[in-house]
Amino acid sequence: MNGNTAPGVLLTSVQETSTTALLARAAARRGMDVRVVTGPGSLDGLGGRHVHWYGGPIAAARISGQVGLALLEPPDDWLVRLPHEYTRRRMELTTLSEAWTARSPVFVKPPSDKTLPAAVYADGARLPRAGDGIGPDTPVLVSDVVTFAVEYRLFVLDGQVAAASRYATFGRLDTAPLHPDRPRDRDALRFAGRLLDAVADSLPSAVTVDIGLVLDPDTGQEHWATVEANMPWFSHSYCADDGPVLDVVLRAAGPRDRVVARDLRFLRAG
């Protein structure tokens, strides 16, 4: 770690989202230098600075070596290794070519990068065969088709929920701040606490975890379950408090020489 005391730098991709704008303003309030990466010149003068990132993985890969950037991400197989009580559905990590053989409806998504649309496919024949980053060996998560009545995004830091937001109801975008005095929101946080107490060691110290309320297709009963885990530096914040969200993003995508030992196994390859 160097002795440079200059304010840190938040780099963002040129494809601005509402979350990009919110985090840029939050970083500026802290005195950070906020820059949009539009080309090689965007990185001028960053030698020795503490650089962080919010944006997509392709752009991150282009700049990470030049600015000493380390990116944390959950393991591709994290979701499939969870006990059934935290998922409430069958799933497997496989390849796209294997998923092509499905003969019944399945939910298919990439484990981390957005290489193909996460969706319910009537059968494997409906899955894409080609595209940017898509091929027979592309890893995908395949799971039973379930209905989530409501879904929440949790920004997690050191095994604790730092910020959270509702983002969907019955698969449709429906954002709202989380209020612990609302029964369903309170139940969501309780489930999140149980989940993180059990499995936080299997995740990076800074991560996003999505959870939701699953409707059992046979009994109609509701069960809390994990939707997925993702990289904070490529996750929408929805209605979560931008200050704590920024804390999580800065930890998840920052200087390589500041990565703590427990996070080394979660470094994104390359």
Side-chain angles (χ1 to χ4, degrees), residues 166-186:
R166 187 183 76 203
Y167 67 89
T169 55
F170 290 101
R172 295 182 179 274
L173 184 66
D174 183 21
T175 64
L178 209 66
H179 293 297
D181 56 337
R182 283 202 297 248
R184 183 166 281 184
D185 291 0
R186 185 166 59 246

Side-chain angles (χ1 to χ4, degrees), residues 8-212:
V9 181
L10 178 65
L11 297 178
T12 69
S13 61
V14 70
Q15 291 83 19
E16 185 179 76
T17 67
S18 58
T19 302
T20 307
L22 287 169
L23 295 181
R25 288 196 291 268
R29 287 196 299 269
R30 298 185 186 187
M32 297 183 70
D33 181 7
V34 180
R35 297 193 189 184
V36 178
V37 177
T38 56
S42 307
L43 307 181
D44 291 348
L46 295 184
R49 303 282 299 276
H50 295 149
V51 176
H52 303 267
W53 171 253
Y54 181 81
I58 296 175
R62 288 198 297 265
I63 67 168
S64 58
Q66 301 174 64
V67 297
L69 184 67
L71 303 166
L72 303 182
E73 65 176 352
D76 284 352
D77 64 347
W78 180 76
L79 195 59
V80 301
R81 290 190 285 109
L82 287 182
H84 184 265
E85 66 180 294
Y86 297 121
T87 62
R88 298 292 177 171
R89 62 200 186 278
R90 293 175 301 172
M91 62 186 67
E92 64 174 331
L93 178 66
T94 185
T95 62
L96 187 55
S97 61
E98 287 295 321
W100 289 337
T101 66
R103 295 293 178 262
S104 59
V106 288
F107 179 78
V108 180
K109 70 176 293 292
S112 53
D113 292 355
K114 310 301 183 184
T115 50
L116 72 156
V120 174
Y121 295 86
D123 55 50
R126 311 298 178 91
L127 284 159
R129 266 21 185 207
D132 188 17
I134 293 176
D137 296 329
T138 300
V140 291
L141 285 168
V142 178
S143 76
D144 292 338
V145 178
V146 296
T147 299
F148 281 97
V150 62
E151 295 169 77
Y152 296 87
R153 172 150 299 164
L154 314 172
F155 285 82
V156 177
L157 191 64
D158 293 325
Q160 302 292 321
V161 177
S165 171
R166 187 183 76 203
Y167 67 89
T169 55
F170 290 101
R172 295 182 179 274
L173 184 66
D174 183 21
T175 64
L178 209 66
H179 293 297
D181 56 337
R182 283 202 297 248
R184 183 166 281 184
D185 291 0
R186 185 166 59 246
D187 290 345
L189 290 174
R190 285 174 177 166
F191 173 76
R194 294 197 304 273
L195 173 69
L196 294 172
D197 284 347
V199 303
D201 288 347
S202 64
L203 289 167
S205 66
V207 68
T208 56
V209 178
D210 294 348
I211 63 172

